[in-house]
Amino acid sequence: MSDAPNGHDDLLLIGTIGVPFGTRGQVKLHALTSHPEQLQRIKTLFVGDDHAPIGLRRAFQHKPNVLILTLDGFESRSAVDALRGADVFIPENEAAPLEEDEYFLHDLPGLRVETGGGEVVGIVNEVIETGANDVLVVDRPEGGQVLIPMIHAVVKSLDIPAGRLVIEPMEGLLR
């Protein structure tokens, strides 16, 4: 019996494995999570395309966005080097609770986007991470796409359970 969650949608990407650290099987994790401290309580990571469960013995922050992991069954530098480049996931239900203005990127595609006046803008197709702020690629009902920045000046409400995002478009945004 596997510890893996029942579907890919149950997993959150938290980072990518980098180079080995030291000679005793530790490895660097380039973290994507804004809550790296959550790994202190996680017991199992799901690694690679096949989401192979691997026990997590220890995790500590080495630098901003870089953690050092000690994994079960990996006792040497060469053993852990085989994981280099693999994505690392945790079950969504073990993630740190979201703050009021936070969201998971995978929850945004499929949301209906409309203006405060009720005009339908379209459906979120994908999210582009730019570093400064996320940008939504929204498919327009009449065809084509529009880019919507996820900034407070534009996004007025986000109701994921209702599948709705309300915006106040800036001048020229919807052209």
Side-chain angles (χ1 to χ4, degrees):
M1 180 174 196
S2 171
D3 291 332
N6 290 331
H8 179 71
D9 291 342
D10 296 334
L11 296 175
L12 290 178
L13 176 65
I14 61 159
T16 303
I17 295 197
V19 298
F21 181 81
T23 60
R24 299 177 190 245
Q26 293 179 312
V27 68
K28 290 183 180 181
L29 174 75
H30 299 282
L32 301 174
T33 176
S34 56
H35 299 284
E37 70 280 358
Q38 74 187 8
L39 289 181
Q40 300 300 324
R41 57 184 175 69
I42 301 289
K43 301 292 183 213
T44 304
L45 301 174
F46 297 90
V47 180
D49 294 337
D50 61 350
H51 304 132
I54 297 177
L56 176 62
R57 281 192 268 164
R58 184 168 184 249
F60 68 90
Q61 190 155 351
H62 178 59
K63 297 178 183 176
N65 299 320
V66 177
L67 296 123
I68 304 299
L69 306 180
T70 304
L71 304 170
D72 286 341
F74 293 86
E75 306 299 327
S76 70
R77 184 176 183 89
S78 61
V80 80
D81 193 46
L83 298 176
R84 188 185 302 203
D87 288 334
V88 178
F89 303 86
I90 62 169
E92 184 174 329
N93 62 1
E94 293 185 21
L98 294 174
E99 298 294 327
E100 186 175 323
D101 62 342
E102 291 182 316
Y103 50 86
F104 292 123
L105 293 180
H106 70 265
D107 286 337
L108 300 178
L111 292 180
R112 183 180 71 253
V113 180
E114 55 190 57
T115 66
E119 175 190 349
V120 175
V121 175
I123 304 294
V124 177
N125 180 346
E126 68 176 300
V127 181
I128 300 171
E129 296 178 79
T130 66
N133 57 270
D134 299 329
V135 176
L136 303 177
V137 178
V138 177
D139 291 336
R140 301 295 305 253
E142 65 275 7
Q145 295 178 322
V146 63
L147 301 177
I148 306 289
M150 288 292 288
I151 57 175
H152 291 291
V154 174
V155 177
K156 296 306 173 188
S157 73
L158 174 62
D159 187 348
I160 290 173
R164 183 173 177 242
L165 182 122
V166 177
I167 66 167
E168 183 64 42
M170 298 182 295
E171 182 73 30
L173 183 67
L174 299 180
R175 292 186 182 169

